[in-house]
Every structure is written in structure tokens, then in C-alpha cells.
Amino acid sequence: MNPSLLTAPPSSPHRSVLFSPFINPNPLRLTSSSITSLTRRSRYKISVVRSSTSSSDKPSTSDSVSVDVFGGKKELSGLQSLVDSLSPPVRLASSVVIVAGALAAGYGLGLRLGGTRNVALGGAVAFGAAGGAAAYALNSCVPEVAAANLHNYVAGCDDPGAIKKEDIEGIAKKYGVSKQDEAFNSELCDLYCRFVSSVIPPGSENLIGNEIGRRIFRQRLETGDRDDDIEQRRAFQKLIYVSTLVFGEASTFLLPWKRVFKVTDSQIEVAIRDNAQRLYAFKLLSVGRDVDVNQLLSLREAQLLYRLSDELAEDLFKEHTRKLVEENITTAVSILKSRTRAVRGASQVVEELDKILVFNNLLTSLRNHPDVGRFARGVGPVSLLGGEYDNDRKMDDLKLLYRAYVTDSLSSGRMEETKLAALNQLRNIYGLGKREAETIMLDVTSKVYRKRLAQAVSSGDLETADSKAAHLQNICDELHFDPQKASEIHEEIYRQKLQQFITKGELNDEDVAALLRLRVMLCIPQQTVEAAHADICGSLFEKVVKDAIASGVDGYDADVKQSVRKAAHGLRLTREAAMSIASKAVRKIFMNYIKRSRAIGNRTEAAKELKKMIAFNTLVVTELVADIKGESSDTKPEEPIKEEEKQIEEDEDEEEDEEEEWESLQTLRKIKPSEELAAKLGKPGQTEITLKDDLPERERTDLYKTYLLFCLTGEVTRIPFGAQITTKKDDSEYLLLNQLGGILGLTGKEIVEVHRSLAEQAFRQQAEVILADGQLTKARMEQLNEVQKQVGLPPEYAQQVIKSITSTKMAAAIETAVSQGRLSIKQIRELKEGNVNLDSMIPENLRVNLFKKTVDQIFSSGTGEFDEEEVYHKIPLDLYINAEKAKVVVQDLARSRLSNSLIQAVALLRQRNRAGVVSSLNDLLACDKAVPSEPLSWEVTEELADLFAIYLKSDPAPEKLSRLQYLLGISDSTAAALREMGDRGLPSGAEEQEFVF
């Protein structure tokens, strides 16, 4: 059907024939129920006979259309038949003749019956009206006749697609009616509705794309329940979509779905989108793995014809290509997992994967085509994201396929560059992570490398190669294998060989030679070999050491010693490695003793646990160290090497500096054994394995102090009735204390500090009692010297303790004196000369208060003197106060004292206290020196003159008198008059009474 039959040309002044029903009072409403009714009763059947050369969209002339589509032909009534037989000019002339004849007949009849002219005119009017009615009836049924002829014409047409716009216009012109006439336009809409309803397939069927065109033929079979709401909705969506394609942008104007059918804009968009997607998806079914340029151009044209967006078209194309790839993957997975897989199973899997790669390369090349802008959207590399294999369970299948392809690529013993590129494509298609792909590649390549390496060793090629490293690197290059990973494989092989040789408990010379040969061939570094021996051989040696330690003090016999010596030598461990292993095991036992000692609250019992640790070190650990080194416990140890000698010399230098302290501290002298006692106790315990790195210094010194107190106090035994017995210890306990210091890793300086701090603590406790009041007398000094000798504290440290106690007591006394105002700046200077640290003894706030008090005394001394150097520099320096801060304090105090001094002078004037007046005026002048002031004001000026007169008689210095005259605002004439008056200028007793109220 030609769409032009249903729409007017753009230049036509008339509206579309389909628009008038929607503005007509009785429009044609296409509801879902009406569509269903129409599709039930209006259908056409197509019987098409095509030749092999005929086009798919051009039916032959033998096509026949059932009249059920438009209904049967309409029969005309008598009047309608008459109108149908008349052409418009004849019908117009007939109407004129009828009206004229009626008028003439009426006029003649009236004239005959009435005999007058008026009667004749009345008859003419009456018969004219009847004639006009007949003529109107004749013309009013013309549109209905035209509509009936239009219906019969369309219903009788064998090919609805052959109907043209000119045929419709010819029928309208034949009867002289307009296409906008209600009856004619209604018939047009009814015919279009019947035709579209018959063309659109049921809701469950898809459009195939050829319903809109010049030839529309489809055999429509009604299936399912047409009353079902879902089916109706789908059918109606197809109607909307087809109408949109027919009318284009004008469909929203010609077919107001929202207003007439209560359809929203979003529903219209969904209808267009869904149907366009189905059409495009149907079109994509013809695209296979051999897609070419013409197919992509055709797809683009179809997309534009179907009004499908680029985004949706791209998604559909990618989905289609993904499904094609998924078919190959599914086939490959089925072959791979088949239990009855044939011999060619692996090759078949690779063939399926190669098909994917070929298809992916084709799409990649098409994406780079110059005309890619005209191609279907979405052309590019394939991805499985969003498809059937985009989940964790399916990802395992993809990894198996990737592994199979890697295995096939390395089947020749080398990796080609083309295979690497193919593997990268597969990884991108599968969506494998870089780490996952590398893991698979490493696993497979490692196995191939081991195989190549075994072949090189068995054939002798590797051993005879001039450069074994170059030969190994060549294998890595051919396999594209990381040399670092190859080194890890070499180390693993060496470890396996070492583990095989070590099963008998030791390595003989043949084993060592074989391991050396393997190490040279595989280019294994020395540190790697040492680490392997320390790990594998060390685990066996560790077991031997633990067994030896577990034997205890009494069980370390000759057999145990022999097993340790055999393991240390037979396992070919370096002395450092063997000592490291033994140190780890021994330190663990040491820490167990330490934990038990800490857990005991009693100091004596805690010291006993430490004593057990010392015995364990002497009887077991010392023998163990000697056996590892291959030394005899009866002989002296080997001479130390140069580095050890250097360290010993440094330690001796430090010990020389501390020699005086060792000699002065009695407890320190005791831990140094005499030759006789050393011979009695035998070989000293080892000091190579210590807890220096296992415990912080504070904890190690606390443990040492615990045993030192045990040595000092002895063992305390409780007896019934709450009594205690203290067992005096001999000097051998101090030798054990010395060994404990070695086990704890304490240096000589740290040991000296512990002894001194303990002696100082004992001395301080007794000195606090003696110097309770802070007074140091000669008798008390002698008493303190006796205590110092008893505890063995060096004199200089005793003096520091005494000074600390007296300073603390003195500081408290000084602070109390300052707070109570009993300390002057003179006494402060005397204390400073006596090396008393006032900065630490007196808080800053008290020192500031003392400074304020001193300055206030200066301003109230009555001398009128103010020494800036003394106040601003010397006193702050003595009190350790900031000079700038002190200056601010002085100025603030001077401002407040200046006005107060004037008030005080006037008060004393009124009390007739001349000496007090002079002193107050001198204080005023002192404050003025600190902060120069402007002339002062007073309500009674006579009192200011009296003040000046009294100060004048005190014989002051000229500069003071002149400054006071300025401050009191006394003029020169007044001052001169007061000088001439002398005592007469002073206030009399009667005058003074006036000031007393």
C-alpha cells in the first residue's frame, strides 16, 4: 500500500484525510477492543504464485484478496442509485430544472385556482419549496454515495497496494465531494483501520520488516486468545510502530495517541523501541562469522529505516556477535569436558578457539575500515561481558579453555609471537584479569621449562655449554619465560635434591659434589644455596639441638654431645648458621625461666628461678656451644679472631674508665672472682647466646637488680609463729650474678649503673632520715660518711645525694619564706652567692611577686630615688625574670602609685604631718622617674601650694623641687612668693581646722 494514499502532499491546502475524524464530533476511535473486533471479522488471505526470479516484495498478478478484509460491497438505495447515475453537472442541472419546474407549476396552479396574481405567487412559493426539498434530498446523499463507491472500489480491488491517491481523488471528483466531507472521510478511516489491523500480526508474533511498502502481503492467521490483555497490548504497540513508520514525524500530529487512546509518550517510545529492536534482531540473524561490508551497510540502512537508536543498535550487534562466539565456546567446553573425548579433542578445542580469533580479527579490521561510519553500529572486538559466560562459574570454563590454548601454543617447545598475540586477544575476549592470565601462563610455561631443562641436562647440552647462563637464557627467550621465575625453579630443584640427600641425616663428599655440579649448571647464587642449607639442614639440626636441650642438666651426656657434633659437622652448616639455630632454641628456654621468675611475687623465689637459668646456661648451653664449635670443654677456647680482639680491646678501654667505680663499689668487687674461686667453680658460662635483643634494657636491668638484692639480703626462710631466718650468702652468689649479667647481655657500664643506683638508693633512704630538717651539721656529716662507707657508694655520688636532699629541703623553706614575705632581695643575692639554684627552687610566679614587692618598697621608701639599672636589669637578673616583662611590671606599678602618692600627701597635709608629706612627695617623684607624668590636677589648688611650701622647707635638691613644681602645676611667681614668705606661708592651726570636719 502506498502511504501517499493516506496523506496529502505537503503543498496541498487541505488537511490529511485522517485528521478530520479526530476533530469530528463523532470520531473514529481505535480502542483495543475495536481493534480486536476488527481483526476478528476483517482479514484477507493471500495466495501468491511467484517465479524463481521474482522479487520478494513484488507479488505476481495472480494474487487474490479476500473480500473479508474490507467487507462485502455496499448496495445503493433507489435514490442513491439515481444519484450514482448522474454526473455532477447533470445533477446540478436536474436540481435547477426541478426547482424551476416546481415554481412554474405552483404559479400556474395558483393562478388557475385563485384567479389572482397573489394566489399564483403563493402557489409558486409552495411548489418551489417542495422542489427545493427534493433537490436537497438529491444532493445530500451524494457524500454517502461517494463513500459507498469508495468502499466498493477498494473492496473490489485485487491488489490493495495498487490503489493510488489519484484513484481516491477521482472518486471524490466524480461525485463532486471533498475528501474532508464527514461521510467520505469516515469511510477512508474505516478502510485504513481495517487494512492496518489485518496487516499487523498478532501480539505474540514479530514484525518482519516488509509490512510497510508498496506491496504488503501477509497471510494472517489468528492464534491464541485475542481477548488476552497482553496480546492486545502487543498488537496495539505494533499499530503504533507501523503508523510511526508510515507517517514519520507527522504521526504525533495525525495520530494523537495520547489524547484519543490515553497512551503516554513513554508508552509510545517503548512501542517504537521494542518493535524496532525485534526487527533489527531479526535482520541480524542473517549475519554470520563471515560478515562483510555489504551486510554491514545493509544493517545500517535497516537501522535507520526501523528508527532504532545507535546505542540500542550497537548493543544488539554486540550481543549477536557475542552469541556467535558463545556457540564456539560452548562447543569447545563440551569437547574439553567430554569423558569420551577423542584423540583429536585438544585439536578440536583449539580449532573452535581459532574460529573465535578469526572472527574477532575480522571485526577488528572492519572497525578500522575507511567507511566504518556507514557500517552498522557496534562493529569491533568481541567481548563476553554481559553474556552467558559473564559469571564466576562460567569463568572457570574460560580459564580451562585459555589453559588449553596456552598448552597447545607451547606444544612445540617454544612460544611464537603470533600465539602470544592470539593469547592476548583471547584474554581480552574472555575478560580475564591480567593476574589470572599470567598465573595460567606461568603454570603451563613452568612445566614446559622444566621439561626443556630436563632434556638439556640429560642430553649433556647444558653441562657442555660454554656459557650455561646464556643457554638457560636462550630457553627462557624461546618460551617467553621470566628469568626470575626460572631462577625460582632452579632453587626449587636444588632444594629437592638437597632434601633427597639429607634423608640419611648427613651429607657425604659425593652428595656435596653432586650439589656443587647442580649449582654450577643452574647458575644458583651462593646466598641462595646457603639459605637452602640453613632451611633444610637447619631444620634437622634444630631438632638435634632441641633434643639436646630437652635432656636437661643431668641428661647432657657423651651420646648427646656426639649427636650434636655429628649434626653440626655432617650437615655442612656454617658456624654462623649453626649458632643462629642454637641461639633461637636456647633463648626460648631462657625466656621460659624469665616468665616463671616474673610470675612469682616473692623476690627470693624469683631469684631462685634465675639461679636455675644460670645453672642451665653453665651445664648445658656452654657445652652445646663448645660442641657446635668443635671445641673440648676441658680446653680453653680458641684465640679470638681479629674482629673479636678489636671488640675486646674496646671493652677493655671502657672498663679502664670505670675501674675506679668497680673498686669503690663493694658489690662490684665481689662479682669479680679471685683465681682461687674461679678454679673452684670451673669453666665460666658462655656469653655468646644472650637475651640482649629479646628484652628491653629496663627489664634486663630489673632482673639483674632482683638477683643483686638476693645476694645482698640472703635467703629468707619463714618459721612458725611469724618469725623469719635469713641465711647469709657467700661470695659465690656474686659470681652467679656476674654470669646472669652475661646471659642478659648487659654491658659493663650497665652493670655498674645498676650497682651504683642500688647503693645510691640505700644511702638516700638513710640520708633522708638524718637530714629531715635540711640542716647539715658537722656531726651529721660524719654520720653520713659512715653510711656511705657501709653501702659502698663512691664519695662523689654521696655528695650529690646530700646536695639533692638539702636543696630540696632548702627550696621548700625558701618558697615558704617568699610566700610569707620574709625574704628580701638582699637575702636572695646572698643565696645566689652560695650557689643556691633559685631558678629551680622558687616557682616563677613567686619570683615575680617578690620582684613586685621589691619595686613597691622602692616606690614607698620616701627617698625619691629610682635607679633604672638596678630595677630594670640587676634585680630581674637575680630573680631570673625576663627584663622586658619586669619593665612592664615596674611601669604599671609606677602609674598606680603616682596618684596614690599625691592623695596620701594631701591626707598627711591635713593631719599636719610635715615629715609624712615630704616622704609621700618623694615617692611621687620616684614614680615620676619610672614613668614621666603630666601635671597633676587637684580640686583645692591652695593645698597644692601648701604641699610645695612644705617640700620647699625640707631643703630638697633643685632638680627634685623643680620637677615637683611642674607636677603640682605651681607657677614661678607663686613659687617665688612662697620662698619669700618662708614659715609664714605654711598653713596655721586655725586654717587647718577648716580642713577637719
PDB file of all heavy atoms in Angstrom, residues 304-322:
ATOM      1  N   LEU A 304      18.272   2.630  10.294  1.00  0.00           N
ATOM      2  CA  LEU A 304      17.670   3.940  10.077  1.00  0.00           C
ATOM      3  C   LEU A 304      16.208   3.819   9.660  1.00  0.00           C
ATOM      4  O   LEU A 304      15.362   4.630  10.072  1.00  0.00           O
ATOM      5  CB  LEU A 304      18.475   4.699   9.010  1.00  0.00           C
ATOM      6  CG  LEU A 304      19.941   4.992   9.369  1.00  0.00           C
ATOM      7  CD1 LEU A 304      20.640   5.660   8.196  1.00  0.00           C
ATOM      8  CD2 LEU A 304      20.028   5.858  10.611  1.00  0.00           C
ATOM      9  N   LEU A 305      15.899   2.805   8.847  1.00  0.00           N
ATOM     10  CA  LEU A 305      14.516   2.599   8.424  1.00  0.00           C
ATOM     11  C   LEU A 305      13.638   2.230   9.611  1.00  0.00           C
ATOM     12  O   LEU A 305      12.506   2.701   9.730  1.00  0.00           O
ATOM     13  CB  LEU A 305      14.458   1.498   7.352  1.00  0.00           C
ATOM     14  CG  LEU A 305      13.050   1.087   6.870  1.00  0.00           C
ATOM     15  CD1 LEU A 305      12.370   2.275   6.188  1.00  0.00           C
ATOM     16  CD2 LEU A 305      13.133  -0.094   5.906  1.00  0.00           C
ATOM     17  N   TYR A 306      14.166   1.434  10.501  1.00  0.00           N
ATOM     18  CA  TYR A 306      13.391   0.985  11.662  1.00  0.00           C
ATOM     19  C   TYR A 306      13.349   2.029  12.773  1.00  0.00           C
ATOM     20  O   TYR A 306      12.698   1.805  13.791  1.00  0.00           O
ATOM     21  CB  TYR A 306      13.992  -0.308  12.230  1.00  0.00           C
ATOM     22  CG  TYR A 306      14.014  -1.457  11.265  1.00  0.00           C
ATOM     23  CD1 TYR A 306      14.937  -2.485  11.408  1.00  0.00           C
ATOM     24  CD2 TYR A 306      13.134  -1.519  10.177  1.00  0.00           C
ATOM     25  CE1 TYR A 306      14.987  -3.544  10.528  1.00  0.00           C
ATOM     26  CE2 TYR A 306      13.177  -2.577   9.289  1.00  0.00           C
ATOM     27  CZ  TYR A 306      14.095  -3.582   9.453  1.00  0.00           C
ATOM     28  OH  TYR A 306      14.130  -4.628   8.586  1.00  0.00           O
ATOM     29  N   ARG A 307      14.078   3.137  12.590  1.00  0.00           N
ATOM     30  CA  ARG A 307      14.098   4.217  13.586  1.00  0.00           C
ATOM     31  C   ARG A 307      14.658   3.709  14.925  1.00  0.00           C
ATOM     32  O   ARG A 307      14.135   4.019  15.992  1.00  0.00           O
ATOM     33  CB  ARG A 307      12.704   4.820  13.778  1.00  0.00           C
ATOM     34  CG  ARG A 307      12.087   5.337  12.505  1.00  0.00           C
ATOM     35  CD  ARG A 307      10.671   5.826  12.747  1.00  0.00           C
ATOM     36  NE  ARG A 307      10.673   7.027  13.562  1.00  0.00           N
ATOM     37  CZ  ARG A 307      10.788   8.272  13.091  1.00  0.00           C
ATOM     38  NH1 ARG A 307      10.917   8.451  11.773  1.00  0.00           N
ATOM     39  NH2 ARG A 307      10.762   9.308  13.887  1.00  0.00           N
ATOM     40  N   LEU A 308      15.718   2.938  14.848  1.00  0.00           N
ATOM     41  CA  LEU A 308      16.363   2.387  16.034  1.00  0.00           C
ATOM     42  C   LEU A 308      17.567   3.253  16.388  1.00  0.00           C
ATOM     43  O   LEU A 308      18.352   3.628  15.517  1.00  0.00           O
ATOM     44  CB  LEU A 308      16.819   0.946  15.771  1.00  0.00           C
ATOM     45  CG  LEU A 308      17.449   0.192  16.950  1.00  0.00           C
ATOM     46  CD1 LEU A 308      16.425  -0.002  18.061  1.00  0.00           C
ATOM     47  CD2 LEU A 308      17.986  -1.154  16.492  1.00  0.00           C
ATOM     48  N   SER A 309      17.730   3.579  17.668  1.00  0.00           N
ATOM     49  CA  SER A 309      18.824   4.443  18.110  1.00  0.00           C
ATOM     50  C   SER A 309      20.171   3.732  17.949  1.00  0.00           C
ATOM     51  O   SER A 309      20.253   2.503  17.931  1.00  0.00           O
ATOM     52  CB  SER A 309      18.630   4.844  19.577  1.00  0.00           C
ATOM     53  OG  SER A 309      18.728   3.716  20.409  1.00  0.00           O
ATOM     54  N   ASP A 310      21.237   4.536  17.844  1.00  0.00           N
ATOM     55  CA  ASP A 310      22.578   3.976  17.679  1.00  0.00           C
ATOM     56  C   ASP A 310      22.995   3.147  18.895  1.00  0.00           C
ATOM     57  O   ASP A 310      23.651   2.111  18.762  1.00  0.00           O
ATOM     58  CB  ASP A 310      23.591   5.105  17.455  1.00  0.00           C
ATOM     59  CG  ASP A 310      23.445   5.748  16.082  1.00  0.00           C
ATOM     60  OD1 ASP A 310      22.711   5.185  15.249  1.00  0.00           O
ATOM     61  OD2 ASP A 310      24.048   6.812  15.851  1.00  0.00           O
ATOM     62  N   GLU A 311      22.612   3.596  20.079  1.00  0.00           N
ATOM     63  CA  GLU A 311      23.005   2.859  21.291  1.00  0.00           C
ATOM     64  C   GLU A 311      22.398   1.465  21.310  1.00  0.00           C
ATOM     65  O   GLU A 311      23.082   0.463  21.584  1.00  0.00           O
ATOM     66  CB  GLU A 311      22.579   3.631  22.543  1.00  0.00           C
ATOM     67  CG  GLU A 311      23.319   4.939  22.764  1.00  0.00           C
ATOM     68  CD  GLU A 311      22.790   6.057  21.893  1.00  0.00           C
ATOM     69  OE1 GLU A 311      21.768   5.825  21.196  1.00  0.00           O
ATOM     70  OE2 GLU A 311      23.400   7.147  21.873  1.00  0.00           O
ATOM     71  N   LEU A 312      21.088   1.384  20.996  1.00  0.00           N
ATOM     72  CA  LEU A 312      20.436   0.078  21.005  1.00  0.00           C
ATOM     73  C   LEU A 312      20.950  -0.796  19.867  1.00  0.00           C
ATOM     74  O   LEU A 312      21.112  -2.010  20.022  1.00  0.00           O
ATOM     75  CB  LEU A 312      18.923   0.254  20.899  1.00  0.00           C
ATOM     76  CG  LEU A 312      18.252   0.932  22.103  1.00  0.00           C
ATOM     77  CD1 LEU A 312      16.762   1.129  21.835  1.00  0.00           C
ATOM     78  CD2 LEU A 312      18.454   0.102  23.350  1.00  0.00           C
ATOM     79  N   ALA A 313      21.189  -0.175  18.716  1.00  0.00           N
ATOM     80  CA  ALA A 313      21.714  -0.945  17.590  1.00  0.00           C
ATOM     81  C   ALA A 313      23.093  -1.511  17.917  1.00  0.00           C
ATOM     82  O   ALA A 313      23.406  -2.666  17.598  1.00  0.00           O
ATOM     83  CB  ALA A 313      21.782  -0.057  16.340  1.00  0.00           C
ATOM     84  N   GLU A 314      23.909  -0.708  18.593  1.00  0.00           N
ATOM     85  CA  GLU A 314      25.244  -1.181  18.980  1.00  0.00           C
ATOM     86  C   GLU A 314      25.143  -2.342  19.961  1.00  0.00           C
ATOM     87  O   GLU A 314      25.860  -3.339  19.837  1.00  0.00           O
ATOM     88  CB  GLU A 314      26.028  -0.027  19.596  1.00  0.00           C
ATOM     89  CG  GLU A 314      27.439  -0.394  20.004  1.00  0.00           C
ATOM     90  CD  GLU A 314      28.218   0.796  20.524  1.00  0.00           C
ATOM     91  OE1 GLU A 314      27.709   1.926  20.396  1.00  0.00           O
ATOM     92  OE2 GLU A 314      29.323   0.591  21.049  1.00  0.00           O
ATOM     93  N   ASP A 315      24.257  -2.204  20.941  1.00  0.00           N
ATOM     94  CA  ASP A 315      24.088  -3.285  21.916  1.00  0.00           C
ATOM     95  C   ASP A 315      23.608  -4.567  21.248  1.00  0.00           C
ATOM     96  O   ASP A 315      24.080  -5.669  21.577  1.00  0.00           O
ATOM     97  CB  ASP A 315      23.098  -2.857  22.996  1.00  0.00           C
ATOM     98  CG  ASP A 315      23.638  -1.731  23.855  1.00  0.00           C
ATOM     99  OD1 ASP A 315      24.864  -1.551  23.865  1.00  0.00           O
ATOM    100  OD2 ASP A 315      22.836  -1.037  24.511  1.00  0.00           O
ATOM    101  N   LEU A 316      22.669  -4.450  20.306  1.00  0.00           N
ATOM    102  CA  LEU A 316      22.143  -5.641  19.630  1.00  0.00           C
ATOM    103  C   LEU A 316      23.219  -6.305  18.783  1.00  0.00           C
ATOM    104  O   LEU A 316      23.314  -7.541  18.727  1.00  0.00           O
ATOM    105  CB  LEU A 316      20.938  -5.260  18.773  1.00  0.00           C
ATOM    106  CG  LEU A 316      19.671  -4.885  19.537  1.00  0.00           C
ATOM    107  CD1 LEU A 316      18.617  -4.353  18.569  1.00  0.00           C
ATOM    108  CD2 LEU A 316      19.122  -6.091  20.288  1.00  0.00           C
ATOM    109  N   PHE A 317      24.031  -5.493  18.096  1.00  0.00           N
ATOM    110  CA  PHE A 317      25.077  -6.073  17.257  1.00  0.00           C
ATOM    111  C   PHE A 317      26.123  -6.786  18.116  1.00  0.00           C
ATOM    112  O   PHE A 317      26.559  -7.904  17.795  1.00  0.00           O
ATOM    113  CB  PHE A 317      25.729  -4.976  16.423  1.00  0.00           C
ATOM    114  CG  PHE A 317      26.695  -5.509  15.386  1.00  0.00           C
ATOM    115  CD1 PHE A 317      26.256  -5.885  14.133  1.00  0.00           C
ATOM    116  CD2 PHE A 317      28.048  -5.661  15.679  1.00  0.00           C
ATOM    117  CE1 PHE A 317      27.138  -6.390  13.185  1.00  0.00           C
ATOM    118  CE2 PHE A 317      28.927  -6.159  14.742  1.00  0.00           C
ATOM    119  CZ  PHE A 317      28.474  -6.521  13.494  1.00  0.00           C
ATOM    120  N   LYS A 318      26.521  -6.149  19.221  1.00  0.00           N
ATOM    121  CA  LYS A 318      27.496  -6.784  20.100  1.00  0.00           C
ATOM    122  C   LYS A 318      26.929  -8.059  20.722  1.00  0.00           C
ATOM    123  O   LYS A 318      27.644  -9.049  20.902  1.00  0.00           O
ATOM    124  CB  LYS A 318      27.924  -5.810  21.190  1.00  0.00           C
ATOM    125  CG  LYS A 318      28.800  -4.663  20.681  1.00  0.00           C
ATOM    126  CD  LYS A 318      29.241  -3.770  21.820  1.00  0.00           C
ATOM    127  CE  LYS A 318      30.184  -2.679  21.319  1.00  0.00           C
ATOM    128  NZ  LYS A 318      30.635  -1.787  22.409  1.00  0.00           N
ATOM    129  N   GLU A 319      25.654  -8.015  21.065  1.00  0.00           N
ATOM    130  CA  GLU A 319      25.022  -9.202  21.634  1.00  0.00           C
ATOM    131  C   GLU A 319      24.994 -10.345  20.613  1.00  0.00           C
ATOM    132  O   GLU A 319      25.235 -11.502  20.947  1.00  0.00           O
ATOM    133  CB  GLU A 319      23.606  -8.862  22.079  1.00  0.00           C
ATOM    134  CG  GLU A 319      22.863 -10.037  22.697  1.00  0.00           C
ATOM    135  CD  GLU A 319      21.451  -9.672  23.111  1.00  0.00           C
ATOM    136  OE1 GLU A 319      21.061  -8.497  22.924  1.00  0.00           O
ATOM    137  OE2 GLU A 319      20.724 -10.557  23.591  1.00  0.00           O
ATOM    138  N   HIS A 320      24.734  -9.987  19.340  1.00  0.00           N
ATOM    139  CA  HIS A 320      24.690 -11.010  18.297  1.00  0.00           C
ATOM    140  C   HIS A 320      26.073 -11.625  18.086  1.00  0.00           C
ATOM    141  O   HIS A 320      26.212 -12.866  18.012  1.00  0.00           O
ATOM    142  CB  HIS A 320      24.171 -10.389  17.000  1.00  0.00           C
ATOM    143  CG  HIS A 320      24.134 -11.351  15.836  1.00  0.00           C
ATOM    144  ND1 HIS A 320      23.238 -12.385  15.755  1.00  0.00           N
ATOM    145  CD2 HIS A 320      24.905 -11.445  14.720  1.00  0.00           C
ATOM    146  CE1 HIS A 320      23.443 -13.073  14.647  1.00  0.00           C
ATOM    147  NE2 HIS A 320      24.455 -12.523  14.001  1.00  0.00           N
ATOM    148  N   THR A 321      27.097 -10.784  17.986  1.00  0.00           N
ATOM    149  CA  THR A 321      28.452 -11.316  17.806  1.00  0.00           C
ATOM    150  C   THR A 321      28.893 -12.124  19.025  1.00  0.00           C
ATOM    151  O   THR A 321      29.598 -13.125  18.891  1.00  0.00           O
ATOM    152  CB  THR A 321      29.440 -10.169  17.558  1.00  0.00           C
ATOM    153  OG1 THR A 321      29.353  -9.218  18.637  1.00  0.00           O
ATOM    154  CG2 THR A 321      29.114  -9.450  16.249  1.00  0.00           C
ATOM    155  N   ARG A 322      28.470 -11.675  20.229  1.00  0.00           N
ATOM    156  CA  ARG A 322      28.810 -12.429  21.425  1.00  0.00           C
ATOM    157  C   ARG A 322      28.180 -13.811  21.414  1.00  0.00           C
ATOM    158  O   ARG A 322      28.799 -14.806  21.798  1.00  0.00           O
ATOM    159  CB  ARG A 322      28.366 -11.654  22.669  1.00  0.00           C
ATOM    160  CG  ARG A 322      28.779 -12.321  23.973  1.00  0.00           C
ATOM    161  CD  ARG A 322      28.330 -11.536  25.184  1.00  0.00           C
ATOM    162  NE  ARG A 322      26.894 -11.522  25.331  1.00  0.00           N
ATOM    163  CZ  ARG A 322      26.137 -10.432  25.304  1.00  0.00           C
ATOM    164  NH1 ARG A 322      26.695  -9.244  25.123  1.00  0.00           N
ATOM    165  NH2 ARG A 322      24.830 -10.494  25.452  1.00  0.00           N
TER     166      ARG A 322
END
